[in-house]
Amino acid sequence: MSTSTPPRPRSATTSAPARSRSALPLAGVRAVAFALMAAVAGTALLDAPAPTAAPPPTTAAPAPGAPAPTASGSTVSAASTPVHFTGKAFDTCEAPSVETMRAWRGSPYGAVGIYFGGRGRGCPGQRELNPGWVSSVQAMGWRLLPVFVGSQAPCVEAPAKKPFAIGSDPWGQGTREAGDAVRAARALGLGTSSPLYLDIEAYRRGDAQCAATTLSFVRAWNREVRRLGYLPGFYSSADTGVRDIEAQRRAGTADLPAVMWFARWLGKPALATEPTLAPAAWTPHARIHQYAGNVTESYGGHRLVIDRNAVDAPVARLTTVRAGSSSAEPASAPATSSTDPSLSFSSTVSSLPLSSSSTVRSSASPSAHSAVSRAPARP
């Protein structure tokens, strides 16, 4: 991965038009005086600090399938509208430099997973990841999948994750870490209705007590993330966490994730055909398949070790409104066509009501790669 500092973009400047040096008629002196006064007043207004808008209320997101929240009782609020992306994404342990992200615009990927918080991250430093990085890569056309790697199952398989095991109060711990996740997301400029994906790595199958503890943690995390106005997503191994969550969904358990990100390294996308999930579960637009891991790719002379993902799910919304825009919703990706997400991908972005992002009942449980394992340095 390139670690060089990208050159800072130069500020665009506009030269003022040349003024006429001809003398003004005496009859126009008064008009000129008034014009000068108006110019001075305009300059003062431009130099004054912009008014600060009150933050939107952090109301809890409705359960999947519920009616979308409304503004003034009639129309869907822009702040409650997740942005949906269909296409390919990559994730890597540490956020690449802006220069690398610019070079990778020539890749087949349109979204990137960012490990924005959590005590269990494999790369906690994240030297590049800050609000400036987020706004810069978003402006390039990238869409963001924010991943939080917090406490892990007590029977987590990866040795590097064992120090981060869930303690004796899983519900309280899940609630506290959800608050940590939302604060970290806000600090990066990720707005409400953005998905926050909880990463629970693979754990030992058949350990009922461990699974129950992890489920309690995950449900509490989901509930609090929803209460604070964000969308809870869940990442794990298809054969452990995802399998357990699907069982809870079938049982009608509450406080489960709105979006499912499952890891099964088949080498090719299979969003709609994952055998541990019912065909209609976490649809429409609520699935991500991590189909390959720890692969090396290079674009524009910048090389990264990544995981490959097929996405049909919500991505982050930025809180900063761009000039000329009426909402914080990101602009559409350059491509305008889409195909079967299990096959090839053309990146598309659209806005959906909150209830459309996941039409299954809310459900969640702990998990991690069980069929696969990451290198110790990876999240």
Side-chain angles (χ1 to χ4, degrees):
M1 177 176 61
S2 172
T3 57
S4 59
T5 303
R8 295 186 179 181
R10 297 180 180 177
S11 301
T13 57
T14 305
S15 58
R19 296 191 180 188
S20 171
R21 297 190 180 186
S22 60
L24 294 169
L26 292 177
V29 170
R30 182 172 298 178
V32 171
F34 281 114
L36 289 173
M37 292 172 65
V40 171
T43 301
L45 288 174
L46 290 173
D47 291 340
T52 303
T58 54
T59 54
T70 60
S72 303
S74 58
T75 57
V76 176
S77 168
S80 65
T81 307
V83 177
H84 158 247
F85 171 82
T86 301
K88 287 187 176 181
F90 75 90
D91 63 276
T92 188
C93 189
E94 185 170 356
S97 68
V98 170
E99 182 182 5
T100 297
M101 295 301 293
R102 184 176 296 112
W104 273 54
R105 284 306 292 154
S107 74
Y109 304 104
V112 57
I114 54 171
Y115 293 90
F116 74 99
R119 68 189 190 115
R121 285 183 296 179
C123 296
Q126 299 294 333
R127 294 166 294 180
E128 302 287 343
L129 190 57
N130 55 50
W133 185 94
V134 167
S135 60
S136 293
V137 301
Q138 180 88 357
M140 293 178 199
W142 289 102
R143 300 298 171 243
L144 305 179
L145 299 165
V147 184
F148 184 86
V149 192
S151 295
Q152 299 293 307
C155 56
V156 63
E157 291 181 337
K161 302 300 182 186
K162 293 185 183 298
F164 311 113
I166 299 165
S168 58
D169 179 20
W171 191 272
Q173 193 169 355
T175 301
R176 290 189 296 274
E177 292 194 24
D180 294 341
V182 169
R183 282 188 291 274
R186 287 173 176 164
L188 285 177
L190 309 181
T192 54
S193 85
S194 292
L196 305 181
Y197 293 94
L198 177 63
D199 182 328
I200 296 289
E201 294 294 313
Y203 53 86
R204 186 169 59 247
R205 288 183 64 179
D207 189 327
Q209 183 58 49
C210 177
T213 297
T214 310
L215 175 62
S216 180
F217 173 88
V218 173
R219 290 182 61 210
W221 194 91
N222 292 337
R223 176 179 286 191
E224 184 68 0
V225 165
R226 277 194 179 96
R227 188 186 73 81
L228 296 172
Y230 289 74
L231 196 66
F234 182 78
Y235 165 87
S236 191
S237 163
D239 285 332
T240 54
V242 173
R243 184 184 297 273
D244 286 347
I245 291 180
E246 170 64 359
Q248 296 299 321
R249 185 196 65 82
R250 290 174 184 271
T253 303
D255 299 318
L256 296 178
V259 191
M260 179 64 74
W261 187 342
F262 59 94
R264 189 180 292 282
W265 292 358
L266 301 172
K268 60 182 180 179
L271 268 178
T273 56
E274 168 51 44
T276 63
L277 297 175
W282 286 279
T283 61
H285 313 309
R287 287 192 182 193
I288 303 174
H289 178 201
Q290 187 181 84
Y291 62 91
N294 295 334
V295 296
T296 301
E297 294 188 33
S298 180
Y299 297 96
H302 294 257
R303 180 175 154 184
L304 295 173
V305 178
I306 66 167
D307 297 333
R308 296 169 178 161
N309 303 275
V311 182
D312 183 16
V315 290
R317 293 174 69 257
L318 270 61
T319 56
T320 303
V321 179
R322 295 176 302 157
S325 173
S326 60
S327 75
E329 181 181 310
S332 298
T336 58
S337 63
S338 64
T339 58
D340 182 351
S342 296
L343 304 173
S344 60
F345 285 82
S346 295
S347 299
T348 61
V349 178
S350 62
S351 299
L352 302 173
L354 189 56
S355 61
S356 298
S357 293
S358 53
T359 56
V360 294
R361 249 189 269 178
S362 77
S363 86
S365 172
S367 125
H369 309 263
S370 65
V372 297
S373 60
R374 286 180 184 263
R378 299 299 300 279

